[in-house]
Every structure is written in C-alpha cells, then in structure tokens.
Amino acid sequence: MQQPIGAGGRGTRRGPHVRGGARRAQRMEEAAGGAPNPNPNPNPNPNLNAGRARMGQPPAQNPPQKGREFFRGQRKESEGSVDFPTVEFEYGDADSRGAELAELYSYTEEPELSTNRRCFEEEFCPQARGRQWMELDTAQQRAHVLRLLEGLEVVSRERRLRAARAILYLAQGVFGDCESEGDVLHWSRHNSFLLYQLGTFSAFLELLSMEIDNSQACSSALRKPAISLADSTELRVLLSVMYLLVENIRVEMETDPPEWKSCRETFRTELSFSVRSDEPFALLLFTMVTKFCSGHAPHFPMKKVLLLLWKVLLFTLGGFEALQTMKVRRREELGLPPLPEDSIQVMRSMRAASPPTCSIELAEQQQKRGHRSRRPLMKQDSLDIYNERDPFKSDETGVDEEESDEVDGGIEGELDLMERDALLPTIPAQRPPIERVLFPKGLPWAPKVRQKDIEHFLEASRNKFIGFTLGQDTETLIGLPRPIHESVKTLKQHKYVSISDVQIKNEEELEKCPMSLIALLKILLAAAPTSKAKTDSINILADVLPEEMPITVLQSMKLGIDVNRHKEIIVKSISALLLLLLKHFKLNHIYQFEYVSQHLVFANCIPLILKFFNQNIMSYITAKNSISVLDYPHCTVHELPELTAESLEAGDNNQFCWRNLFSCINLLRILNKLTKWKHSRTMMLVVFKSAPILKRALKVKQAMMQLYVLKLLKIQTKYLGRQWRKSNMKTMSAIYQKVRHRMNDDWAYGNDIDARPWDFQAEECTLRASIEAFNSRRYDKPQDSEFAPVDNCLQSVLGQRLDLPEDFHYSYELWLEREVFSQPIRWEELLRYQ
C-alpha cells in the first residue's frame, strides 16, 4: 500500500485513499473546484464544459495567454488531482454484447425505435391474427421474413424503407413483445440467425451498394449547409441490420445448436471473400471511409460504418486469442521453439501500480524535510547482487527526488512483505557463483535476446581481446576468456527468434537469387477530445445531430452527452480496428506490417496519438457520457422517466468508462508497434516530448495500460539523459519490474550501441526499399517475359480477358467467319508441337 504524502513517519502504512497534511488537503480541494483548461483555446468547447459540469466542476475559463502561466495551470490540473483508484478492467476483443449493441445507436435515434416497430406491425398484424412473433413456429416465422424480403425488391423507395425497418425491428429483438432486457437480447440473436439463413445479408448488401453509388444523395448532401440524421436514414437502417447480424452471429455461446455453428462458419467464409466487383465486404466499407474523408459523401453515418468494419474484421480475421493461437501454430510450422509464456495471461495476472510522485508534491516534501540531509545515490547493482539483496528496501540506500518520505510508494506497485519475499526468493549461499545469474522468479516476463544482440556482444568482445571480428559468426569463441564463453552460453539460452525474423531472412534470400488506412487517422483526429472545433476538416457528427437543434438547456445537455459519446465510440472503433489489422499483418508477413506502419508514421500517427494523451487522461477514463435509461435495450422494455438536469449530470454509477479505457490501451499498443526496434521513430517520441505525457498516463491504476506506457518510456530512456533517469528512479524501477528484459540491453544507462546518433532518415529509406522490393516481387506483374510462368491450362487461357476495341462487337460475327471458320485446321502442325 502507498504511504500518503505528508503523513508523518516512515513506518505508518495507510490505504491509498487516506490523505494527510493541511496544505495537501487544501490543494486537493482547489483542484476539485476546477482547474484551468489544458487546451489553450480562446473559445472553450461547450461539450467540454458540459462534461466538466457532470464531473462536478465549473465550466473551464479562458486560460492566460502567457506560456509560463499556461503550463503551470496544465501541470496543476494533471498532477495535482486526486489519485485514481485501482481499475477492475478486463481487456478483451470487445465489451459485453449488450454494451456493443447499445453503442450502435445514438440517443438522437431513440424515436426511430418506435418507427421500426410500427412498420413491422403494419405488415405482421394482418397475417398473425392476434398472435405474437415468439408464438409462431419456425416455418411461419420464415414465411413472414420471406414476405418482408420481397418488399425490398419493389420500385418504390418508401416501401423498401418500410420493409427494411420491419426487418430491423426483428433484428432488434421484437422488443414490443418482450418483458426484460435479456428477452430482447435473446430474440435479437435468434432472429439474426433466422434472417441470415434466409439471405437477408445478401439482400441488404445489394441495397447498400445502391446507396453508396447514389450520386443524387451525395450531391444533395454537398449542397446542404448542415447535415443531419435525415440525410442518412436509409444508410443507417441498412448498416444497423448488417451490424446486428454480424455481432449476434459472431459471438459464440455454449448453448448454440449445431446448425447455428455451421451457419457461423458459412457467414465467416462469405464475409472473407469477394462479394461485389471482386472485392471483400471489408474493402467495400473501407471505400465508404475513403469517400467520406475525401468530402464526396459527407452524409455517410461514419460511426456505424466504423463499428461494422471493426466487427467484420474481428469476425473474419479473429481476435487477440485467435491471434495467439495462430502465432503458436505458425512458429511450429517454421520449426521455432514455443513461446516462453502466454502474453495475454501474463498481463491479466499483473497488478496495477501506484502512480509516481508529482513534482508539486515533491516540492512540498522537500520543504518539510529541509532539515534532513541528502544521501548520495548508489549505483545500481548487477544481476548477481540483485539476487542477494532486496532493491525495494530504501533504509540503507540513497533517497532520490521521487522517493521522498514514503518508503513503499511509487509506480512499482503496492508490494507487501509477502509479495517481496515471493518476488525475490532467497538464494542459498552454498550455490556456486555462476548460478546467481538466474533471473528473479517474481518478474512476469522471461528475458529475450535477439541474434543481433549476440553478434554485437561478440563483436565488442573480439575487438577487445583479440583485435579483430568474425562478422556474423556466433559459434567461434577461440581466443576469448572463459567468462565470455559463459556469457555467450547464457545469451543463447534466452535467444528468441520471432516469425518476423524468419520472414525477413527469407526475403533477403529471395533478393539474392493497396490498401490505405490514412483516412482513419483523419477521423481519429476529428474525434480526439483535444481537437479544436475550428481544426476539424470533416464533419463526423452528421449521424448524431437532429434536424432541429435543441432550444432548451435540457435538450442541449442531452445532445452534448450524445455528441461526446459519439466521438468516444468512433475513437474506440478506430483504435481497435487499427490494432487488429497491424497484428494480423505482422503475423501474415512482416513487410505487410511494415508497409502499413510506415504509411501511418508518414501520416503523423505518432504525434496524433501523443496529442490524444496530452489531456487529463483520468478525466477521460472516468467520463460519464452516457444516459443509461436511453441505452438499448433498456429503453425498449422500460418506461422512460422524465429526464432532468440532475439525472443527466449524475450519469451512471460505473467506476470508469470501459470504451475509453479500451481505446487508451489500444492506442498505446499501436504506438508500441510503430516504434518497436525503430530508433528513428523512438527519436520522434523524444522530439515530441512524450515522456511527461506518458508519465501522466501512469496515474491510471490499470496494469495493462501501465505496462504499455512503461514500454514506451523504456525505449527512450537512453535518449532522455542522465538527469531525467536520476530524477525518475521510481519510473525506472517500475520498468525494471514490469517490462520484459533483453539480456544485454543497457537501456538504463544509455551506453547501448543503438543510442548513437545514426542517420535515422537512412534507416527509414532502407526499410522503404525492402518493402518496395517485397511488393514488387509479390504483387507486380513480371517485367521480363523470359521469367514469366507459362499457363498450360486450356480453360485458364480461354478464360483470360483481352482488351478489345470498342467497335469489336459490331463485327464479331464477321471476324469469326474470317479468322476461325474459314481457316483450315493444320493437324500436322499441331502434332509437331506435341
């Protein structure tokens, strides 16, 4: 447990929420009363003020224009806030099914639920003769669905929309006949399987293609000064039905009958392959994203498109657990040793850590302990000494600027005595010295060593002892001292060869003998909470704004919550979508991953993510931008109470917002993937001053999020200088405890060969050349016909498309008569070539 700052003696142990000291309490009260807006915008965002009102804070005031005063206010808000309690958050592919279905609808769309019900009952009641939908047998239900599908083929656009709304009501769970939320979710899933089996998805795909190509709707939206929900009615209905089918069928349950399991696999296969113009369904949705960002279709409901695109990729490619399974299988196919541990299980078992001490708190503590003398810092012991003493005990060691008075506080976590004993097992003295090199069992990750690390170690050792090197030879150890032999043996024991290394090596051997995700970054920038309204180049609120703007304070508050919720869902879907694609690309082939990664980097993805985190991240994670009584399916089976300003401000009772924490972790994982082993991109983190931004994110006491923040801090510590490392020793010790170690990675001292000022631009250019060579060899047409493969299949040759002149069909019969029928067949020449 963490010792409270300013709380008297060393030996006292109190809970994380106990506070001591009059000045500390006074500053907490001032911080709770409202802090300066970290966004230096002369016109504060009204949605931000509404969010602050729901958090119990007054509207943000215009900050001073002086830079020094602004940064002082920003620091006071981000660092002088109340500690965030431990978050009980379980990371996964997605949230619960009910929450994922609820996020499909905006609160502005709530009146349309009754419209869908009315359209269904107009068609169903005359046929049902007083019976309800769940009272019909399967044959009767199928017959009614077929009648509704026939209504999608009529010429009248209005009649097609009514039939589509009736089908949407079925997919929503016929909530008019249900008594509980569980019944709604049950019948929504039951009807989704029934609709798919009768070809509903294919029918709606054709209608979606028609709406995408509807130039009249696009031109009408471009002429309007303001776009609202009414401009995307048909698209929203179609996308909602398709999303409900994908989400309900995607989620597996133990009670599913065999025909549902078979239906799920068939649906996955259908979504994975070409459906229209030789393109998969996911590519059609990507086309909608690109068309929206280019400004040609501003009426597209982008939130629904992104949610559907994310779930389609999650369904067809597989989630994080499926990725882990595929990774294990791929390593077996390549003859590589098994993984040392399951990273998903390791992260789930990690404990959250306490945030590092704030600079303002340090200043007060230094004033309190002014009479005490500073003890000098001691050099960090090596691994063998680490096994003999407890590095977390500070009674005999020096006190740095961060540690101050609390002996067991800090980001390394709330370790009690039992945990320390388990973390650092006592090593018997009778063991030989060589065995003390064993790594502590309490660390969560097994250490890894790259082939490149072994080569660098041997290169330095050979230069030192024998005066020359042997290139990439890691077997010859003649002339090297015995300790070097033992070191090489230890490094090889922890050598880790990734699938990417094998793929790169294969591509290099071959050397010897277009999808763009940039539009997603544009939407992510517009949805970021730190973006200013005047910088938004695209309107992402077209499918949430009503036709008539609110006129009362209550309506304005409701719309403000809906808009903020809308943006949060967009950030969630984009972050999950990008991460899922990057992981699958990397597993499929490393150069496919590098191709997409380099495009993201060149499109300023790294500063965009840092811009996202340059906010009060705890306020973002605890934001209450939801109205639970209006969430689906709650609003369909309960009487809606009268909304008041007090009920809107209260929000829900959840400790944190699942989607916002999910988004933060995804963005951190994307940033880690873009910068891992890329020193030029690591320098971008340093240039953009990401260290203080990331360090503030450590205040969120969630183990997985802290792990990825610490990874980003670790890769740049060698560039931040000795003074930064000296004044952030708690962060350094947390990195040592929680992040995987590379056996000879000198990250804590900055003496590594990779920390030298190489030409980072040349590094990206070399990577670009390798990517282009890979793409050219795999996807381009062969330039030299001498090396082109010969097609000996008769059907394949006859089925090839040839470029013919436009007027060829006019003279086709004449050409056949002259070139085919009138020419004699020379059988002897045919036999000659046999």
Side-chain angles (χ1 to χ4, degrees):
M1 304 295 287
Q2 182 181 3
Q3 172 78 10
I5 298 173
R10 271 182 186 272
T12 306
R13 299 179 61 85
R14 301 185 182 179
H17 305 296
V18 180
R19 290 298 184 189
R23 296 185 59 189
R24 171 68 171 165
Q26 181 181 1
R27 188 172 65 257
M28 286 172 53
E29 183 177 357
E30 293 173 356
N37 187 357
N39 187 4
N41 185 5
N43 298 318
N45 190 341
N47 296 328
L48 177 61
N49 288 337
R52 295 177 66 87
R54 290 188 301 278
M55 295 293 293
Q57 299 177 359
Q61 303 296 326
N62 291 338
Q65 298 301 318
K66 298 295 183 180
R68 182 178 303 174
E69 297 176 359
F70 158 67
F71 284 111
R72 185 184 301 120
Q74 184 184 36
R75 191 185 308 115
K76 186 173 183 180
E77 178 187 16
S78 60
E79 297 183 344
S81 56
V82 180
D83 280 351
F84 192 55
T86 302
V87 176
E88 300 297 333
F89 172 82
E90 184 175 354
Y91 185 82
D93 294 328
D95 203 348
S96 62
R97 187 164 64 97
E100 294 294 336
L101 296 181
E103 291 180 351
L104 176 65
Y105 311 103
S106 302
Y107 296 145
T108 318
E109 297 178 271
E110 189 267 336
E112 296 186 6
L113 294 173
S114 58
T115 305
N116 301 337
R117 178 181 179 180
R118 185 176 63 254
C119 292
F120 173 80
E121 291 177 348
E122 290 175 356
E123 296 285 339
F124 177 74
C125 291
Q127 306 290 335
R129 299 176 182 177
R131 289 180 297 175
Q132 295 182 346
W133 173 260
M134 54 271 300
E135 296 174 353
L136 302 180
D137 57 26
T138 303
Q140 293 172 331
Q141 290 178 350
R142 294 170 66 93
H144 186 72
V145 171
L146 291 175
R147 282 195 296 269
L148 292 177
L149 291 176
E150 291 177 359
L152 299 177
E153 301 177 0
V154 299
V155 178
S156 173
R157 185 182 182 89
E158 183 179 352
R159 290 182 59 188
R160 288 203 308 267
L161 180 59
R162 287 202 302 268
R165 284 192 178 278
I167 294 175
L168 176 56
Y169 177 72
L170 284 176
Q172 289 172 339
V174 286
F175 49 81
D177 301 336
C178 298
E179 297 180 354
S180 66
E181 298 178 26
D183 292 341
V184 176
L185 295 178
H186 167 78
W187 283 103
S188 175
R189 194 162 187 265
H190 175 274
N191 293 341
S192 294
F193 278 96
L194 177 64
L195 290 171
Y196 173 72
Q197 291 170 349
L198 296 178
T200 304
F201 189 86
S202 301
F204 273 69
L205 180 59
E206 293 296 328
L207 294 177
L208 179 63
S209 303
M210 292 172 54
E211 291 297 328
I212 293 175
D213 299 333
N214 188 350
S215 58
Q216 181 179 359
C218 294
S219 59
S220 175
L222 288 172
R223 289 194 301 266
K224 289 187 176 181
I227 303 175
S228 64
L229 279 171
D231 298 296
S232 59
T233 301
E234 291 82 1
L235 281 170
R236 286 187 292 107
V237 171
L238 298 176
L239 292 170
S240 296
V241 172
M242 301 174 87
Y243 178 86
L244 289 170
L245 294 183
V246 171
E247 181 64 11
N248 282 319
I249 297 177
R250 178 188 69 85
V251 179
E252 301 182 17
M253 292 186 179
E254 296 180 356
T255 58
D256 289 348
E259 56 269 19
W260 282 14
K261 297 179 180 179
S262 175
C263 181
R264 180 180 298 110
E265 295 303 320
T266 304
F267 194 20
R268 180 185 287 112
T269 304
E270 178 182 342
L271 292 175
S272 303
F273 294 97
S274 304
V275 293
R276 173 179 179 263
S277 302
D278 298 329
E279 61 181 18
F281 179 57
L283 189 55
L284 177 66
L285 297 177
F286 269 116
T287 305
M288 295 184 68
V289 175
T290 307
K291 195 172 181 180
F292 172 80
C293 291
S294 63
H296 297 304
H299 66 295
F300 280 1
M302 201 41 51
K303 186 190 79 172
K304 286 182 169 55
V305 173
L306 292 172
L307 285 174
L308 178 56
L309 176 57
W310 168 35
K311 294 305 174 63
V312 166
L313 293 178
L314 185 61
F315 186 25
T316 56
L317 300 179
F320 298 127
E321 293 186 358
L323 269 167
Q324 187 75 4
T325 304
M326 288 186 286
K327 187 176 181 180
V328 172
R329 184 170 64 249
R330 184 67 61 84
R331 291 184 66 85
E332 292 177 355
E333 295 172 355
L334 295 176
L336 298 175
L339 295 170
E341 72 278 306
D342 188 342
S343 58
I344 297 178
Q345 297 302 325
V346 172
M347 284 184 286
R348 286 177 177 174
S349 62
M350 292 180 69
R351 292 188 59 187
S354 300
T357 311
C358 305
S359 57
I360 297 180
E361 298 167 355
L362 287 174
E364 292 185 356
Q365 293 163 16
Q366 290 173 358
Q367 293 176 4
K368 292 180 181 180
R369 62 174 185 177
H371 63 280
R372 299 175 56 185
S373 59
R374 288 289 303 274
R375 279 174 271 184
L377 291 171
M378 296 182 64
K379 186 176 180 180
Q380 181 178 348
D381 301 305
S382 57
L383 287 179
D384 53 346
I385 304 297
Y386 180 88
N387 278 326
E388 296 177 354
R389 68 166 64 187
D390 190 343
F392 298 101
K393 294 181 180 179
S394 56
D395 293 336
E396 302 296 333
T397 58
V399 181
D400 60 274
E401 292 181 8
E402 263 196 355
E403 288 182 350
S404 65
D405 288 332
E406 68 273 30
V407 85
D408 53 342
I411 194 169
E412 65 266 19
E414 302 166 354
L415 295 174
D416 54 21
L417 295 178
M418 294 181 61
E419 287 175 323
R420 293 182 182 180
D421 293 338
L423 180 64
L424 301 173
T426 304
I427 297 182
Q430 64 269 20
R431 290 192 179 183
I434 187 67
E435 294 189 11
R436 292 205 305 267
V437 181
L438 293 176
F439 210 75
K441 296 182 180 179
L443 294 177
W445 305 101
K448 290 182 179 179
V449 178
R450 295 182 300 168
Q451 176 70 17
K452 180 181 178 182
D453 299 329
I454 302 177
E455 295 172 0
H456 285 172
F457 176 77
L458 283 175
E459 180 182 0
S461 301
R462 288 165 178 159
N463 281 328
K464 179 178 180 180
F465 292 104
I466 60 180
F468 63 90
T469 62
L470 297 178
Q472 298 180 347
D473 184 4
T474 59
E475 303 298 330
T476 304
L477 303 178
I478 299 175
L480 296 177
R482 183 64 182 175
I484 300 298
H485 289 229
E486 297 295 336
S487 300
V488 173
K489 179 181 177 182
T490 302
L491 292 174
K492 289 184 177 180
Q493 287 176 350
H494 296 89
K495 179 180 176 182
Y496 175 77
V497 181
S498 66
I499 298 175
S500 303
D501 295 334
V502 177
Q503 293 172 341
I504 292 175
K505 184 176 180 180
N506 293 339
E507 291 300 319
E508 291 175 351
E509 294 296 328
L510 290 174
E511 282 293 328
K512 295 178 182 179
C513 2
M515 177 176 56
S516 177
L517 302 181
I518 313 308
L520 293 177
L521 297 183
K522 198 172 183 181
I523 302 175
L524 181 61
L525 175 61
T530 54
S531 295
K532 304 175 185 178
K534 63 181 180 181
T535 62
D536 292 348
S537 56
I538 55 177
N539 179 18
I540 60 173
L541 306 178
D543 52 334
V544 70
L545 296 178
E547 292 186 74
E548 299 180 359
M549 296 306 292
I551 57 177
T552 65
V553 175
L554 184 63
Q555 292 175 348
S556 299
M557 292 182 63
K558 177 184 172 183
L559 181 59
I561 294 174
D562 204 4
V563 167
N564 291 336
R565 175 177 177 267
H566 181 82
K567 291 183 177 181
E568 291 172 358
I569 296 172
I570 287 179
V571 173
K572 169 190 172 182
S573 57
I574 292 179
S575 63
L577 175 63
L578 287 176
L579 177 62
L580 191 65
L581 283 175
L582 287 175
K583 290 183 71 68
H584 276 283
F585 277 135
K586 189 173 183 179
L587 182 62
N588 192 51
H589 201 285
I590 182 60
Y591 281 137
Q592 293 178 346
F593 164 80
E594 296 291 359
Y595 175 73
V596 176
S597 298
Q598 200 167 64
H599 273 284
L600 292 176
V601 172
F602 292 162
N604 291 328
C605 183
I606 292 178
L608 173 58
I609 295 178
L610 293 177
K611 177 183 175 66
F612 179 89
F613 281 97
N614 190 22
Q615 59 171 314
N616 191 335
I617 201 66
M618 288 195 298
S619 296
Y620 182 72
I621 288 176
T622 57
K624 298 182 181 298
N625 292 315
S626 62
I627 308 174
S628 57
V629 296
L630 295 182
D631 283 337
Y632 171 89
H634 183 278
C635 64
T636 62
V637 293
H638 295 89
E639 292 292 334
L640 297 182
E642 182 180 358
L643 296 178
T644 61
E646 291 75 13
S647 62
L648 293 181
E649 290 177 357
D652 52 32
N653 297 323
N654 295 328
Q655 179 192 17
F656 61 94
C657 180
W658 195 96
R659 61 172 169 267
N660 288 357
L661 185 52
F662 180 73
S663 302
C664 290
I665 294 176
N666 288 340
L667 292 174
L668 288 171
R669 297 185 70 181
I670 293 171
L671 197 55
N672 270 281
K673 288 192 171 297
L674 295 182
T675 56
K676 186 177 182 180
W677 304 120
K678 302 293 189 303
H679 304 296
S680 59
R681 301 173 189 177
T682 303
M683 287 303 299
M684 292 179 67
L685 296 178
V686 179
V687 170
F688 290 125
K689 302 185 185 302
S690 66
I693 298 175
L694 295 171
K695 190 178 175 183
R696 287 197 296 269
L698 290 173
K699 287 183 173 293
V700 181
K701 294 180 65 176
Q702 204 282 327
M704 191 172 186
M705 180 172 175
Q706 289 179 341
L707 172 64
Y708 287 108
V709 172
L710 292 173
K711 282 185 175 183
L712 291 169
L713 289 172
K714 177 187 176 183
I715 62 176
Q716 52 180 319
T717 51
K718 62 182 69 174
Y719 304 106
L720 295 176
R722 182 177 300 176
Q723 183 60 37
W724 188 92
R725 297 192 291 270
K726 178 181 177 181
S727 59
N728 291 273
M729 288 305 295
K730 283 189 175 178
T731 304
M732 299 288 287
S733 63
I735 294 173
Y736 186 85
Q737 178 192 357
K738 292 183 176 295
V739 182
R740 188 192 302 276
H741 294 279
R742 303 282 172 168
M743 294 295 289
N744 53 350
D745 182 10
D746 203 5
W747 62 272
Y749 296 99
N751 300 323
D752 193 87
I753 187 173
D754 290 332
R756 299 176 185 176
W758 302 113
D759 185 358
F760 294 128
Q761 187 175 5
E763 181 185 18
E764 291 290 347
C765 292
T766 303
L767 179 61
R768 168 67 70 86
S770 301
I771 294 172
E772 290 179 349
F774 168 79
N775 290 337
S776 176
R777 182 171 55 257
R778 292 294 184 94
Y779 307 114
D780 290 351
K781 294 181 180 179
Q783 300 295 329
D784 194 345
S785 59
E786 181 180 354
F787 299 100
V790 179
D791 191 352
N792 295 320
C793 179
L794 179 62
Q795 291 184 351
S796 176
V797 173
L798 294 178
Q800 291 180 358
R801 296 180 63 109
L802 299 177
D803 295 332
L804 301 173
E806 297 180 358
D807 57 346
F808 178 77
H809 65 279
Y810 295 113
S811 57
Y812 176 71
E813 296 181 355
L814 180 62
W815 179 87
L816 279 177
E817 182 66 30
R818 185 179 67 247
E819 300 293 337
V820 180
F821 300 139
S822 62
Q823 295 293 331
I825 300 177
R826 300 182 178 86
W827 297 102
E828 64 280 1
E829 294 186 5
L830 183 63
L831 294 175
R832 186 185 307 169
Y833 291 103
Q834 292 293 328

